């Protein structure tokens, strides 16, 4: 674990943002882990990836964290979206309180089980709790009902099921379960 650095991305690293996202979309678990297909990701122009990297590197609305090896390879990522109270989320639900939303969780298969996901989540939550405005009441994420491995990790990390279940936008017959991590006292 010490051979990896956990840090936010930099805007000029858009090509690595793209490469890691496409690797995530190639993963066998991608259909139950992401709301995007490999074909959709591959079809996006470089300008999209440049904007995505710039958005994930600066400001207080989104931050993308990566795990970088000593050789410069990116082996994992997670992003935090800030959802403002009174807005609508990706599932068309109303956001009742300022909160963070973890998305895009991915660790390359060779590094799974090494503690990298915990380190990425730790950095993401530290950033989320450090925001002064808006002060986030909680951080949440959604997990596909059939992604038992991810659900088990989230519970071990301290997320708890809220009981909210929503249809997956790409397949309304599939269900997404909301997990929440309340702001520490």
């Amino acid at each position: 674990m010490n051979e990896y650095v956990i840090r936010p991305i930099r805007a000029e690293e858009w090509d690595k943002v793209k490469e890691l996202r496409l690797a995530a979309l190639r993963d066998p678990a991608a259909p139950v882990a992401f709301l995007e297909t490999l074909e959709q990701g591959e079809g996006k122009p470089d300008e999209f990836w440049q904007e995505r990297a710039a958005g994930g590197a600066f400001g207080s609305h989104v931050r993308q964290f990566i795990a970088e090896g000593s050789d410069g390879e990116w082996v994992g990522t997670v992003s935090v979206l800030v959802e403002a109270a009174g807005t609508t989320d990706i599932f068309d639900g109303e956001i009742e309180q300022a909160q963070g939303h973890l998305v895009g969780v991915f660790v390359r298969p060779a590094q799974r089980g090494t503690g990298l996901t915990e380190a990425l989540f730790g950095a993401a939550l530290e950033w989320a709790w450090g925001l002064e405005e808006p002060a986030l009441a909680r951080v949440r994420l959604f997990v596909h009902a059939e992604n038992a491995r991810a659900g088990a990790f989230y519970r071990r990390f301290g997320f708890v099921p809220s009981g909210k279940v929503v249809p997956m936008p790409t397949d309304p017959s599939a269900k997404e379960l909301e997990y929440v991590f309340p702001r520490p006292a």
Side-chain angles (χ1 to χ4, degrees):
M1 192 36 223
N2 290 338
E3 66 267 21
Y4 298 100
V5 172
I6 308 299
R7 65 169 178 85
I9 64 167
R10 294 186 279 273
E12 66 273 12
E13 296 175 316
W14 67 269
D15 55 336
K16 286 188 164 189
V17 169
K18 177 182 177 180
E19 187 282 323
L20 190 60
R21 178 63 175 185
L22 295 179
L25 295 174
R26 283 185 197 97
D27 190 272
V32 296
F34 303 110
L35 300 178
E36 176 180 37
T37 67
L38 177 60
E39 293 75 25
Q40 291 168 325
E42 289 176 332
K44 293 180 177 163
D46 287 347
E47 292 80 15
F48 169 86
W49 299 104
Q50 291 162 357
E51 290 173 16
R52 185 174 185 151
F58 300 112
S60 59
H61 298 293
V62 61
R63 187 63 47 101
Q64 182 176 355
F65 294 88
I66 54 97
E68 182 177 34
S70 58
D71 60 358
E73 181 186 20
W74 288 10
V75 297
T77 186
V78 65
S79 294
V80 185
L81 307 177
V82 175
E83 298 175 322
T87 61
T88 302
D89 68 15
I90 62 171
F91 299 107
D92 292 326
E94 184 178 339
I95 306 296
E96 297 176 5
Q97 57 192 329
Q99 62 190 9
H101 186 161
L102 297 187
V103 297
V105 178
F106 175 70
V107 171
R108 293 186 193 268
Q111 285 78 26
R112 292 179 186 159
T114 65
L116 278 178
T117 309
E118 290 87 341
L120 286 162
F121 272 47
L125 289 176
E126 181 179 347
W127 179 81
W129 303 142
L131 290 172
E132 292 182 21
E133 193 58 40
L136 305 182
R138 67 184 193 164
V139 172
R140 71 177 181 159
L141 54 80
F142 285 88
V143 63
H144 191 287
E146 295 184 22
N147 194 346
R149 190 175 134 269
F153 169 78
Y154 301 144
R155 288 188 303 276
R156 266 193 328 275
F157 191 84
F159 282 82
V160 294
S162 71
K164 182 176 183 175
V165 178
V166 297
M168 191 170 180
T170 56
D171 177 5
S173 68
K175 302 300 177 210
E176 293 276 321
L177 312 175
E178 181 187 58
Y179 282 67
V180 298
F181 196 111
R183 183 181 193 90

